[in-house]
Structures are given as structure tokens and as C-alpha cells.
Amino acid sequence: MDLVAPAGSPGSLKAALEAGADAVYLGLRDATNARNFPGLNFAPAQLHEVVETAKRFQAQIYVAINTYARAGKWADWKAAVDQAAEANVSALIAADLAVLGYASRTYPDLRLHLSVQASATNWRALRLYRDLFNIRRAVLPRVLSLTQIARLAEHDVVPLEVFGFGSLCIMAEGRCLLSSYACGHSPNNYGACSPAESVAWIPTPGGLETRVAGILIDRFAPEEAAGYPTICKGRFRVENRIRHVFEEPTSLNTLDILPKLAALGIEAIKLEGRQRSPAYIAQVVRTWRAALDACQRDPVHFVPESAWVQALGKLSEGQQTTLGAYARVWR
Ligand code: SF4
């Protein structure tokens, strides 16, 4: 399995390559990618250098043009495809039918990977994308169980990439309206579910409150670690019980099921986190490189080493990890 790492800056790109990523995915500095944070991402003029740097590490560069084009702004998405193709990147990651159509017609030799943002969760959907746009890989949404992934893999429509580590999103990826409802910004085009300007941390006699656009997300007791407020990971009162209603603030970690994913023929493992620091990227990629190599050497006896588990645990949201939907029994 290939290890696909994120990069939001030249520092993170270097960290990911030095730590052993097989491919690095990144976006341009505009709304064409779903991590459109201020200060992150790459200018089109940097793409050539990025590709050359990756070549020195025998690694690939994937460019995420994975948002849905806004009305009246198609020129931006078209330009992003042209710039990536011209820089000779290894693949585009896209979800919008218009972007996939334009790229496949204009650059038939350029690999297309179906983005997680397309939320393709059944083999017929994958077949349609393959037949229409010749996609060479699909990134699966983080809402599928291992059994469901196994069924998709059995159909062998297109090679699959799955998320291995990082933040969780429980909705149809990026099309969640929680953030739009609260802040007036789509997480898809604005780069974040809880934009920093909408977030407030307020000490109160009842504990530290976190709010997004004035909406109470959580209240923490003095000894509790307070996480960054994301609406889906808040604690709300439902039927007189206060609890994490949608999802707990924790990170996905699939080290435990690596041999199972390998046995299914999964082509690549994706690490989430283009918004993360170079230090975070270096540590996560180094750990996953070691784990993937060990799994490849001896999948039958593979057991995650405690040093890997500890290293990833420290970098996880709330210092906790979960297998998420891979192992969730409710559906
Ligand atoms: S608020 Fe939560 S569910 Fe919605 S897009 Fe963000 S991470 Fe996903």
C-alpha cells in the first residue's frame, strides 16, 4: 500500500518526503481545494519546484482540486486544472463532475483520483465515475465500515484509497451544513468547519465554554482538556443527558486493521492534515512508514508497536484514537 501524506506548506512537504511518504497531496491557494486556510497551500508557480522536489525522493505529487466550482467562478477551477497539468503532477484529486469532465477531456493522460468529497459509497457509483472520467483511484468516505469496504473491493471497479489517520468527519464529506448554518460559510469552500473568527473561548463560573458563532459547543470542567470547538464534536443536551451526540473529539487510527486493509487489496492509505505543522507531519508519516513496512514484511504477525501507538496517541484529538466507522456497529 502507498502512503499518501498531506502538505499545506513547503516545510510540511519536505517533512513528509523525508519521513518516507510515497505521495504527497496538496492544494492551491484558493477555493479550489477544501483546505483553503489563510497562510496555507501553494501558488501555481511553486508547482514545478514541488514536483521536482518529490522526484528526488521518488515520490508523487497529487493536487487536490476537490471542491465544487462556485457559480460564476468556473475559470478558477479550470485554471487550477491547467496549472496542475502543466506542472506535470502525478494525479488530480477531484469530485466536481465539471472538473472531472474538463480534466479527462483536456488531459486524457493525467491520472484522476476521485476525491472523498464525491462521497461515492457504492460500486455502481465508482463504475460510473470510472466509465465517464477514467478515474484510476477512488478515495473512500470515512463513513464506511470494513465490511462495506470489503464489498466495494470485491467488485474491483477501481483501486481504492482509504483514510488511515487524522481528524474525522461524520457527514457526507464537506457537504455538512452544520458549519454553514452556524457561521454562514461552507466548510467545502471556506477551508474550515469552525473558522477561527467564529470561535470563542469564554471562562464562566460553570466552566470554560467554547462557542461557534455564539452557539454553545461545549463546557469544560477545570481539569478537563478543552478541544477546538467543532459543531459535530460538541456535547449537547438531548433527552436530559449531556453527551457527544454526533461524534467524540478523537482521531481516526487504523493501525490495528492494517493487515485487513492490505488483504482487501487497498492501494493506498491516506493521512489527513494539510493544516498541520511540519513537526506533526514528520512524526505521523515516520510512524506510518514504519508500520506499513512492517505490515508488508509480515502481515500475518503484524501487531502495532507500542511506540507507534503512543506517538500517534499524543498527536490525536483529545489524545484519543478510534477505528471510527470501520468498526462502528450502528449504521
Ligand atoms: S462540522 Fe463535522 S461533520 Fe460537518 S464537515 Fe466539519 S467535521 Fe464534518
Side-chain angles (χ1 to χ4, degrees), residues 242-279:
I242 295 176
R243 59 199 163 103
H244 292 108
V245 176
F246 302 108
E247 180 62 274
E248 294 193 23
T250 178
S251 292
L252 176 73
N253 182 7
T254 62
L255 276 187
D256 281 340
I257 57 169
L258 218 41
K260 290 184 181 162
L261 293 171
L264 294 178
I266 298 300
E267 189 174 64
I269 296 283
K270 183 173 204 131
L271 308 178
E272 183 274 347
R274 280 191 280 144
Q275 71 283 23
R276 305 290 189 170
S277 68

PDB file of all heavy atoms in Angstrom, residues 242-279:
ATOM      1  N   ILE A 242     -26.431  15.161  28.787  1.00  0.00           N
ATOM      2  CA  ILE A 242     -25.457  15.929  28.009  1.00  0.00           C
ATOM      3  C   ILE A 242     -24.405  14.953  27.503  1.00  0.00           C
ATOM      4  O   ILE A 242     -23.786  14.231  28.299  1.00  0.00           O
ATOM      5  CB  ILE A 242     -24.812  17.033  28.867  1.00  0.00           C
ATOM      6  CG1 ILE A 242     -25.885  18.042  29.266  1.00  0.00           C
ATOM      7  CG2 ILE A 242     -23.685  17.717  28.102  1.00  0.00           C
ATOM      8  CD1 ILE A 242     -25.401  19.135  30.192  1.00  0.00           C
ATOM      9  N   ARG A 243     -24.216  14.912  26.175  1.00  0.00           N
ATOM     10  CA  ARG A 243     -23.270  13.936  25.634  1.00  0.00           C
ATOM     11  C   ARG A 243     -22.813  14.356  24.227  1.00  0.00           C
ATOM     12  O   ARG A 243     -23.376  15.272  23.633  1.00  0.00           O
ATOM     13  CB  ARG A 243     -23.890  12.547  25.574  1.00  0.00           C
ATOM     14  CG  ARG A 243     -25.137  12.466  24.741  1.00  0.00           C
ATOM     15  CD  ARG A 243     -25.940  11.221  25.082  1.00  0.00           C
ATOM     16  NE  ARG A 243     -27.292  11.310  24.595  1.00  0.00           N
ATOM     17  CZ  ARG A 243     -27.753  10.686  23.523  1.00  0.00           C
ATOM     18  NH1 ARG A 243     -26.968   9.932  22.798  1.00  0.00           N
ATOM     19  NH2 ARG A 243     -29.003  10.819  23.158  1.00  0.00           N
ATOM     20  N   HIS A 244     -21.795  13.623  23.742  1.00  0.00           N
ATOM     21  CA  HIS A 244     -21.377  13.828  22.354  1.00  0.00           C
ATOM     22  C   HIS A 244     -22.436  13.171  21.477  1.00  0.00           C
ATOM     23  O   HIS A 244     -22.499  11.957  21.383  1.00  0.00           O
ATOM     24  CB  HIS A 244     -20.006  13.199  22.104  1.00  0.00           C
ATOM     25  CG  HIS A 244     -18.903  13.899  22.833  1.00  0.00           C
ATOM     26  ND1 HIS A 244     -18.256  13.355  23.922  1.00  0.00           N
ATOM     27  CD2 HIS A 244     -18.335  15.116  22.630  1.00  0.00           C
ATOM     28  CE1 HIS A 244     -17.341  14.212  24.355  1.00  0.00           C
ATOM     29  NE2 HIS A 244     -17.363  15.278  23.590  1.00  0.00           N
ATOM     30  N   VAL A 245     -23.245  13.961  20.846  1.00  0.00           N
ATOM     31  CA  VAL A 245     -24.409  13.416  20.140  1.00  0.00           C
ATOM     32  C   VAL A 245     -23.992  12.812  18.798  1.00  0.00           C
ATOM     33  O   VAL A 245     -24.453  11.743  18.414  1.00  0.00           O
ATOM     34  CB  VAL A 245     -25.456  14.529  19.923  1.00  0.00           C
ATOM     35  CG1 VAL A 245     -26.628  14.003  19.107  1.00  0.00           C
ATOM     36  CG2 VAL A 245     -25.937  15.037  21.268  1.00  0.00           C
ATOM     37  N   PHE A 246     -23.091  13.499  18.074  1.00  0.00           N
ATOM     38  CA  PHE A 246     -22.720  13.024  16.741  1.00  0.00           C
ATOM     39  C   PHE A 246     -21.428  12.207  16.769  1.00  0.00           C
ATOM     40  O   PHE A 246     -21.370  11.102  16.261  1.00  0.00           O
ATOM     41  CB  PHE A 246     -22.522  14.208  15.779  1.00  0.00           C
ATOM     42  CG  PHE A 246     -23.715  15.091  15.646  1.00  0.00           C
ATOM     43  CD1 PHE A 246     -23.711  16.360  16.201  1.00  0.00           C
ATOM     44  CD2 PHE A 246     -24.836  14.668  14.963  1.00  0.00           C
ATOM     45  CE1 PHE A 246     -24.811  17.185  16.075  1.00  0.00           C
ATOM     46  CE2 PHE A 246     -25.945  15.486  14.829  1.00  0.00           C
ATOM     47  CZ  PHE A 246     -25.931  16.750  15.387  1.00  0.00           C
ATOM     48  N   GLU A 247     -20.391  12.795  17.325  1.00  0.00           N
ATOM     49  CA  GLU A 247     -19.065  12.168  17.275  1.00  0.00           C
ATOM     50  C   GLU A 247     -18.240  12.666  18.451  1.00  0.00           C
ATOM     51  O   GLU A 247     -18.437  13.779  18.915  1.00  0.00           O
ATOM     52  CB  GLU A 247     -18.373  12.549  15.943  1.00  0.00           C
ATOM     53  CG  GLU A 247     -17.004  11.992  15.722  1.00  0.00           C
ATOM     54  CD  GLU A 247     -16.998  10.469  15.677  1.00  0.00           C
ATOM     55  OE1 GLU A 247     -16.915   9.864  16.752  1.00  0.00           O
ATOM     56  OE2 GLU A 247     -17.069   9.906  14.576  1.00  0.00           O
ATOM     57  N   GLU A 248     -17.339  11.819  18.929  1.00  0.00           N
ATOM     58  CA  GLU A 248     -16.462  12.264  20.012  1.00  0.00           C
ATOM     59  C   GLU A 248     -15.239  12.977  19.433  1.00  0.00           C
ATOM     60  O   GLU A 248     -14.833  12.677  18.313  1.00  0.00           O
ATOM     61  CB  GLU A 248     -16.006  11.060  20.829  1.00  0.00           C
ATOM     62  CG  GLU A 248     -17.169  10.430  21.551  1.00  0.00           C
ATOM     63  CD  GLU A 248     -16.742   9.445  22.600  1.00  0.00           C
ATOM     64  OE1 GLU A 248     -15.609   9.534  23.086  1.00  0.00           O
ATOM     65  OE2 GLU A 248     -17.557   8.585  22.933  1.00  0.00           O
ATOM     66  N   PRO A 249     -14.676  13.911  20.192  1.00  0.00           N
ATOM     67  CA  PRO A 249     -13.478  14.590  19.679  1.00  0.00           C
ATOM     68  C   PRO A 249     -12.272  13.670  19.792  1.00  0.00           C
ATOM     69  O   PRO A 249     -11.571  13.645  20.790  1.00  0.00           O
ATOM     70  CB  PRO A 249     -13.347  15.821  20.590  1.00  0.00           C
ATOM     71  CG  PRO A 249     -14.123  15.478  21.810  1.00  0.00           C
ATOM     72  CD  PRO A 249     -15.115  14.402  21.481  1.00  0.00           C
ATOM     73  N   THR A 250     -12.055  12.898  18.802  1.00  0.00           N
ATOM     74  CA  THR A 250     -10.986  11.903  18.803  1.00  0.00           C
ATOM     75  C   THR A 250     -10.493  11.733  17.370  1.00  0.00           C
ATOM     76  O   THR A 250     -11.128  12.196  16.443  1.00  0.00           O
ATOM     77  CB  THR A 250     -11.532  10.573  19.381  1.00  0.00           C
ATOM     78  OG1 THR A 250     -10.537   9.590  19.342  1.00  0.00           O
ATOM     79  CG2 THR A 250     -12.728  10.068  18.607  1.00  0.00           C
ATOM     80  N   SER A 251      -9.357  11.092  17.195  1.00  0.00           N
ATOM     81  CA  SER A 251      -8.805  10.932  15.838  1.00  0.00           C
ATOM     82  C   SER A 251      -8.933   9.501  15.359  1.00  0.00           C
ATOM     83  O   SER A 251      -8.872   8.562  16.146  1.00  0.00           O
ATOM     84  CB  SER A 251      -7.320  11.312  15.826  1.00  0.00           C
ATOM     85  OG  SER A 251      -7.169  12.679  16.051  1.00  0.00           O
ATOM     86  N   LEU A 252      -9.089   9.370  14.058  1.00  0.00           N
ATOM     87  CA  LEU A 252      -9.102   8.045  13.438  1.00  0.00           C
ATOM     88  C   LEU A 252      -7.688   7.457  13.460  1.00  0.00           C
ATOM     89  O   LEU A 252      -6.725   8.167  13.206  1.00  0.00           O
ATOM     90  CB  LEU A 252      -9.557   8.206  11.981  1.00  0.00           C
ATOM     91  CG  LEU A 252      -9.556   6.959  11.123  1.00  0.00           C
ATOM     92  CD1 LEU A 252     -10.700   6.039  11.534  1.00  0.00           C
ATOM     93  CD2 LEU A 252      -9.717   7.331   9.651  1.00  0.00           C
ATOM     94  N   ASN A 253      -7.586   6.179  13.771  1.00  0.00           N
ATOM     95  CA  ASN A 253      -6.292   5.496  13.676  1.00  0.00           C
ATOM     96  C   ASN A 253      -6.540   4.036  13.288  1.00  0.00           C
ATOM     97  O   ASN A 253      -7.124   3.285  14.066  1.00  0.00           O
ATOM     98  CB  ASN A 253      -5.538   5.568  15.004  1.00  0.00           C
ATOM     99  CG  ASN A 253      -4.178   4.911  14.902  1.00  0.00           C
ATOM    100  OD1 ASN A 253      -3.755   4.516  13.813  1.00  0.00           O
ATOM    101  ND2 ASN A 253      -3.497   4.774  16.016  1.00  0.00           N
ATOM    102  N   THR A 254      -6.099   3.648  12.112  1.00  0.00           N
ATOM    103  CA  THR A 254      -6.410   2.298  11.608  1.00  0.00           C
ATOM    104  C   THR A 254      -5.221   1.340  11.670  1.00  0.00           C
ATOM    105  O   THR A 254      -5.223   0.311  10.985  1.00  0.00           O
ATOM    106  CB  THR A 254      -6.894   2.369  10.140  1.00  0.00           C
ATOM    107  OG1 THR A 254      -5.842   2.910   9.350  1.00  0.00           O
ATOM    108  CG2 THR A 254      -8.144   3.211   9.990  1.00  0.00           C
ATOM    109  N   LEU A 255      -4.216   1.677  12.504  1.00  0.00           N
ATOM    110  CA  LEU A 255      -3.053   0.768  12.589  1.00  0.00           C
ATOM    111  C   LEU A 255      -3.488  -0.677  12.875  1.00  0.00           C
ATOM    112  O   LEU A 255      -2.944  -1.620  12.308  1.00  0.00           O
ATOM    113  CB  LEU A 255      -2.123   1.214  13.718  1.00  0.00           C
ATOM    114  CG  LEU A 255      -1.100   2.307  13.440  1.00  0.00           C
ATOM    115  CD1 LEU A 255      -0.183   2.456  14.634  1.00  0.00           C
ATOM    116  CD2 LEU A 255      -0.316   2.041  12.179  1.00  0.00           C
ATOM    117  N   ASP A 256      -4.494  -0.824  13.744  1.00  0.00           N
ATOM    118  CA  ASP A 256      -4.921  -2.173  14.156  1.00  0.00           C
ATOM    119  C   ASP A 256      -5.439  -3.022  12.994  1.00  0.00           C
ATOM    120  O   ASP A 256      -5.389  -4.242  13.063  1.00  0.00           O
ATOM    121  CB  ASP A 256      -6.055  -2.077  15.205  1.00  0.00           C
ATOM    122  CG  ASP A 256      -5.505  -1.756  16.576  1.00  0.00           C
ATOM    123  OD1 ASP A 256      -4.303  -1.983  16.783  1.00  0.00           O
ATOM    124  OD2 ASP A 256      -6.278  -1.272  17.414  1.00  0.00           O
ATOM    125  N   ILE A 257      -6.002  -2.391  11.979  1.00  0.00           N
ATOM    126  CA  ILE A 257      -6.615  -3.179  10.895  1.00  0.00           C
ATOM    127  C   ILE A 257      -5.795  -3.133   9.605  1.00  0.00           C
ATOM    128  O   ILE A 257      -6.290  -3.482   8.532  1.00  0.00           O
ATOM    129  CB  ILE A 257      -8.070  -2.723  10.610  1.00  0.00           C
ATOM    130  CG1 ILE A 257      -8.115  -1.230  10.264  1.00  0.00           C
ATOM    131  CG2 ILE A 257      -8.982  -3.043  11.782  1.00  0.00           C
ATOM    132  CD1 ILE A 257      -9.474  -0.787   9.716  1.00  0.00           C
ATOM    133  N   LEU A 258      -4.550  -2.718   9.741  1.00  0.00           N
ATOM    134  CA  LEU A 258      -3.696  -2.599   8.545  1.00  0.00           C
ATOM    135  C   LEU A 258      -3.610  -3.905   7.730  1.00  0.00           C
ATOM    136  O   LEU A 258      -3.784  -3.881   6.506  1.00  0.00           O
ATOM    137  CB  LEU A 258      -2.307  -2.147   8.987  1.00  0.00           C
ATOM    138  CG  LEU A 258      -1.575  -1.162   8.098  1.00  0.00           C
ATOM    139  CD1 LEU A 258      -2.477  -0.092   7.560  1.00  0.00           C
ATOM    140  CD2 LEU A 258      -0.409  -0.562   8.858  1.00  0.00           C
ATOM    141  N   PRO A 259      -3.364  -5.062   8.377  1.00  0.00           N
ATOM    142  CA  PRO A 259      -3.292  -6.295   7.583  1.00  0.00           C
ATOM    143  C   PRO A 259      -4.608  -6.601   6.859  1.00  0.00           C
ATOM    144  O   PRO A 259      -4.600  -7.117   5.744  1.00  0.00           O
ATOM    145  CB  PRO A 259      -2.993  -7.376   8.632  1.00  0.00           C
ATOM    146  CG  PRO A 259      -2.398  -6.645   9.784  1.00  0.00           C
ATOM    147  CD  PRO A 259      -3.060  -5.312   9.798  1.00  0.00           C
ATOM    148  N   LYS A 260      -5.731  -6.242   7.496  1.00  0.00           N
ATOM    149  CA  LYS A 260      -7.030  -6.480   6.845  1.00  0.00           C
ATOM    150  C   LYS A 260      -7.184  -5.601   5.607  1.00  0.00           C
ATOM    151  O   LYS A 260      -7.664  -6.030   4.563  1.00  0.00           O
ATOM    152  CB  LYS A 260      -8.179  -6.212   7.821  1.00  0.00           C
ATOM    153  CG  LYS A 260      -8.271  -7.236   8.928  1.00  0.00           C
ATOM    154  CD  LYS A 260      -9.471  -6.972   9.801  1.00  0.00           C
ATOM    155  CE  LYS A 260      -9.485  -8.022  10.910  1.00  0.00           C
ATOM    156  NZ  LYS A 260     -10.302  -7.656  12.033  1.00  0.00           N
ATOM    157  N   LEU A 261      -6.767  -4.356   5.734  1.00  0.00           N
ATOM    158  CA  LEU A 261      -6.853  -3.452   4.581  1.00  0.00           C
ATOM    159  C   LEU A 261      -5.927  -3.934   3.465  1.00  0.00           C
ATOM    160  O   LEU A 261      -6.293  -3.898   2.281  1.00  0.00           O
ATOM    161  CB  LEU A 261      -6.483  -2.023   5.007  1.00  0.00           C
ATOM    162  CG  LEU A 261      -7.464  -1.353   5.982  1.00  0.00           C
ATOM    163  CD1 LEU A 261      -6.895  -0.038   6.505  1.00  0.00           C
ATOM    164  CD2 LEU A 261      -8.806  -1.108   5.311  1.00  0.00           C
ATOM    165  N   ALA A 262      -4.743  -4.416   3.866  1.00  0.00           N
ATOM    166  CA  ALA A 262      -3.806  -4.930   2.855  1.00  0.00           C
ATOM    167  C   ALA A 262      -4.402  -6.154   2.155  1.00  0.00           C
ATOM    168  O   ALA A 262      -4.319  -6.288   0.935  1.00  0.00           O
ATOM    169  CB  ALA A 262      -2.473  -5.291   3.512  1.00  0.00           C
ATOM    170  N   ALA A 263      -5.048  -7.025   2.937  1.00  0.00           N
ATOM    171  CA  ALA A 263      -5.623  -8.241   2.359  1.00  0.00           C
ATOM    172  C   ALA A 263      -6.755  -7.920   1.387  1.00  0.00           C
ATOM    173  O   ALA A 263      -7.012  -8.675   0.442  1.00  0.00           O
ATOM    174  CB  ALA A 263      -6.139  -9.149   3.472  1.00  0.00           C
ATOM    175  N   LEU A 264      -7.430  -6.799   1.601  1.00  0.00           N
ATOM    176  CA  LEU A 264      -8.510  -6.400   0.686  1.00  0.00           C
ATOM    177  C   LEU A 264      -7.968  -5.812  -0.619  1.00  0.00           C
ATOM    178  O   LEU A 264      -8.725  -5.539  -1.543  1.00  0.00           O
ATOM    179  CB  LEU A 264      -9.413  -5.350   1.357  1.00  0.00           C
ATOM    180  CG  LEU A 264     -10.220  -5.800   2.566  1.00  0.00           C
ATOM    181  CD1 LEU A 264     -11.029  -4.632   3.133  1.00  0.00           C
ATOM    182  CD2 LEU A 264     -11.157  -6.927   2.172  1.00  0.00           C
ATOM    183  N   GLY A 265      -6.666  -5.573  -0.653  1.00  0.00           N
ATOM    184  CA  GLY A 265      -6.066  -5.006  -1.867  1.00  0.00           C
ATOM    185  C   GLY A 265      -6.168  -3.497  -1.936  1.00  0.00           C
ATOM    186  O   GLY A 265      -6.055  -2.904  -3.014  1.00  0.00           O
ATOM    187  N   ILE A 266      -6.377  -2.850  -0.777  1.00  0.00           N
ATOM    188  CA  ILE A 266      -6.432  -1.373  -0.757  1.00  0.00           C
ATOM    189  C   ILE A 266      -5.100  -0.841  -1.300  1.00  0.00           C
ATOM    190  O   ILE A 266      -4.028  -1.282  -0.891  1.00  0.00           O
ATOM    191  CB  ILE A 266      -6.677  -0.868   0.688  1.00  0.00           C
ATOM    192  CG1 ILE A 266      -8.022  -1.385   1.213  1.00  0.00           C
ATOM    193  CG2 ILE A 266      -6.573   0.645   0.765  1.00  0.00           C
ATOM    194  CD1 ILE A 266      -9.229  -0.976   0.427  1.00  0.00           C
ATOM    195  N   GLU A 267      -5.193   0.114  -2.225  1.00  0.00           N
ATOM    196  CA  GLU A 267      -3.975   0.559  -2.910  1.00  0.00           C
ATOM    197  C   GLU A 267      -3.194   1.608  -2.121  1.00  0.00           C
ATOM    198  O   GLU A 267      -1.961   1.693  -2.242  1.00  0.00           O
ATOM    199  CB  GLU A 267      -4.341   1.140  -4.276  1.00  0.00           C
ATOM    200  CG  GLU A 267      -3.136   1.437  -5.137  1.00  0.00           C
ATOM    201  CD  GLU A 267      -3.521   1.868  -6.539  1.00  0.00           C
ATOM    202  OE1 GLU A 267      -4.154   2.940  -6.695  1.00  0.00           O
ATOM    203  OE2 GLU A 267      -3.196   1.139  -7.489  1.00  0.00           O
ATOM    204  N   ALA A 268      -3.920   2.408  -1.335  1.00  0.00           N
ATOM    205  CA  ALA A 268      -3.210   3.498  -0.644  1.00  0.00           C
ATOM    206  C   ALA A 268      -3.900   3.860   0.661  1.00  0.00           C
ATOM    207  O   ALA A 268      -5.116   3.754   0.791  1.00  0.00           O
ATOM    208  CB  ALA A 268      -3.140   4.725  -1.543  1.00  0.00           C
ATOM    209  N   ILE A 269      -3.068   4.296   1.618  1.00  0.00           N
ATOM    210  CA  ILE A 269      -3.551   4.794   2.906  1.00  0.00           C
ATOM    211  C   ILE A 269      -3.326   6.298   2.934  1.00  0.00           C
ATOM    212  O   ILE A 269      -2.223   6.768   2.666  1.00  0.00           O
ATOM    213  CB  ILE A 269      -2.755   4.167   4.076  1.00  0.00           C
ATOM    214  CG1 ILE A 269      -2.971   2.661   4.134  1.00  0.00           C
ATOM    215  CG2 ILE A 269      -3.110   4.831   5.404  1.00  0.00           C
ATOM    216  CD1 ILE A 269      -4.280   2.222   4.724  1.00  0.00           C
ATOM    217  N   LYS A 270      -4.375   7.025   3.267  1.00  0.00           N
ATOM    218  CA  LYS A 270      -4.275   8.486   3.271  1.00  0.00           C
ATOM    219  C   LYS A 270      -4.218   9.009   4.699  1.00  0.00           C
ATOM    220  O   LYS A 270      -4.967   8.572   5.562  1.00  0.00           O
ATOM    221  CB  LYS A 270      -5.510   9.053   2.583  1.00  0.00           C
ATOM    222  CG  LYS A 270      -5.525  10.537   2.436  1.00  0.00           C
ATOM    223  CD  LYS A 270      -6.716  10.975   1.600  1.00  0.00           C
ATOM    224  CE  LYS A 270      -6.413  12.320   0.972  1.00  0.00           C
ATOM    225  NZ  LYS A 270      -6.690  12.339  -0.429  1.00  0.00           N
ATOM    226  N   LEU A 271      -3.320   9.955   4.930  1.00  0.00           N
ATOM    227  CA  LEU A 271      -3.236  10.622   6.225  1.00  0.00           C
ATOM    228  C   LEU A 271      -3.902  11.992   6.073  1.00  0.00           C
ATOM    229  O   LEU A 271      -3.627  12.708   5.105  1.00  0.00           O
ATOM    230  CB  LEU A 271      -1.775  10.796   6.653  1.00  0.00           C
ATOM    231  CG  LEU A 271      -0.919   9.520   6.612  1.00  0.00           C
ATOM    232  CD1 LEU A 271       0.526   9.833   7.001  1.00  0.00           C
ATOM    233  CD2 LEU A 271      -1.503   8.455   7.552  1.00  0.00           C
ATOM    234  N   GLU A 272      -4.743  12.334   7.029  1.00  0.00           N
ATOM    235  CA  GLU A 272      -5.432  13.629   6.984  1.00  0.00           C
ATOM    236  C   GLU A 272      -4.523  14.693   7.600  1.00  0.00           C
ATOM    237  O   GLU A 272      -3.687  14.374   8.439  1.00  0.00           O
ATOM    238  CB  GLU A 272      -6.744  13.504   7.766  1.00  0.00           C
ATOM    239  CG  GLU A 272      -7.638  14.725   7.770  1.00  0.00           C
ATOM    240  CD  GLU A 272      -7.313  15.742   8.845  1.00  0.00           C
ATOM    241  OE1 GLU A 272      -6.534  15.448   9.782  1.00  0.00           O
ATOM    242  OE2 GLU A 272      -7.822  16.868   8.736  1.00  0.00           O
ATOM    243  N   GLY A 273      -4.678  15.976   7.203  1.00  0.00           N
ATOM    244  CA  GLY A 273      -3.983  17.018   7.950  1.00  0.00           C
ATOM    245  C   GLY A 273      -3.171  18.022   7.162  1.00  0.00           C
ATOM    246  O   GLY A 273      -2.054  18.341   7.558  1.00  0.00           O
ATOM    247  N   ARG A 274      -3.747  18.571   6.082  1.00  0.00           N
ATOM    248  CA  ARG A 274      -2.967  19.582   5.356  1.00  0.00           C
ATOM    249  C   ARG A 274      -2.784  20.857   6.172  1.00  0.00           C
ATOM    250  O   ARG A 274      -1.956  21.687   5.853  1.00  0.00           O
ATOM    251  CB  ARG A 274      -3.637  19.898   4.015  1.00  0.00           C
ATOM    252  CG  ARG A 274      -3.327  18.853   2.968  1.00  0.00           C
ATOM    253  CD  ARG A 274      -3.755  19.296   1.607  1.00  0.00           C
ATOM    254  NE  ARG A 274      -5.161  19.097   1.416  1.00  0.00           N
ATOM    255  CZ  ARG A 274      -5.947  19.911   0.716  1.00  0.00           C
ATOM    256  NH1 ARG A 274      -5.452  21.001   0.177  1.00  0.00           N
ATOM    257  NH2 ARG A 274      -7.218  19.634   0.560  1.00  0.00           N
ATOM    258  N   GLN A 275      -3.590  21.003   7.232  1.00  0.00           N
ATOM    259  CA  GLN A 275      -3.493  22.192   8.085  1.00  0.00           C
ATOM    260  C   GLN A 275      -2.468  22.012   9.200  1.00  0.00           C
ATOM    261  O   GLN A 275      -2.244  22.911   9.999  1.00  0.00           O
ATOM    262  CB  GLN A 275      -4.876  22.526   8.668  1.00  0.00           C
ATOM    263  CG  GLN A 275      -5.387  21.554   9.727  1.00  0.00           C
ATOM    264  CD  GLN A 275      -5.930  20.242   9.171  1.00  0.00           C
ATOM    265  OE1 GLN A 275      -5.580  19.836   8.081  1.00  0.00           O
ATOM    266  NE2 GLN A 275      -6.757  19.554   9.936  1.00  0.00           N
ATOM    267  N   ARG A 276      -1.823  20.842   9.267  1.00  0.00           N
ATOM    268  CA  ARG A 276      -0.923  20.529  10.391  1.00  0.00           C
ATOM    269  C   ARG A 276       0.497  21.055  10.165  1.00  0.00           C
ATOM    270  O   ARG A 276       0.901  21.301   9.030  1.00  0.00           O
ATOM    271  CB  ARG A 276      -0.853  19.019  10.592  1.00  0.00           C
ATOM    272  CG  ARG A 276      -2.188  18.362  10.792  1.00  0.00           C
ATOM    273  CD  ARG A 276      -2.796  18.716  12.120  1.00  0.00           C
ATOM    274  NE  ARG A 276      -3.969  17.892  12.368  1.00  0.00           N
ATOM    275  CZ  ARG A 276      -4.589  17.853  13.537  1.00  0.00           C
ATOM    276  NH1 ARG A 276      -4.164  18.582  14.535  1.00  0.00           N
ATOM    277  NH2 ARG A 276      -5.651  17.091  13.692  1.00  0.00           N
ATOM    278  N   SER A 277       1.250  21.111  11.261  1.00  0.00           N
ATOM    279  CA  SER A 277       2.612  21.656  11.206  1.00  0.00           C
ATOM    280  C   SER A 277       3.581  20.632  10.610  1.00  0.00           C
ATOM    281  O   SER A 277       3.304  19.421  10.623  1.00  0.00           O
ATOM    282  CB  SER A 277       3.087  21.987  12.619  1.00  0.00           C
ATOM    283  OG  SER A 277       3.253  20.764  13.329  1.00  0.00           O
ATOM    284  N   PRO A 278       4.747  21.098  10.140  1.00  0.00           N
ATOM    285  CA  PRO A 278       5.766  20.147   9.642  1.00  0.00           C
ATOM    286  C   PRO A 278       6.159  19.121  10.701  1.00  0.00           C
ATOM    287  O   PRO A 278       6.387  17.953  10.386  1.00  0.00           O
ATOM    288  CB  PRO A 278       6.943  21.055   9.275  1.00  0.00           C
ATOM    289  CG  PRO A 278       6.308  22.371   8.949  1.00  0.00           C
ATOM    290  CD  PRO A 278       5.128  22.496   9.880  1.00  0.00           C
ATOM    291  N   ALA A 279       6.224  19.534  11.970  1.00  0.00           N
ATOM    292  CA  ALA A 279       6.624  18.598  13.040  1.00  0.00           C
ATOM    293  C   ALA A 279       5.589  17.471  13.161  1.00  0.00           C
ATOM    294  O   ALA A 279       5.946  16.299  13.311  1.00  0.00           O
ATOM    295  CB  ALA A 279       6.759  19.344  14.362  1.00  0.00           C
TER     296      ALA A 279
END
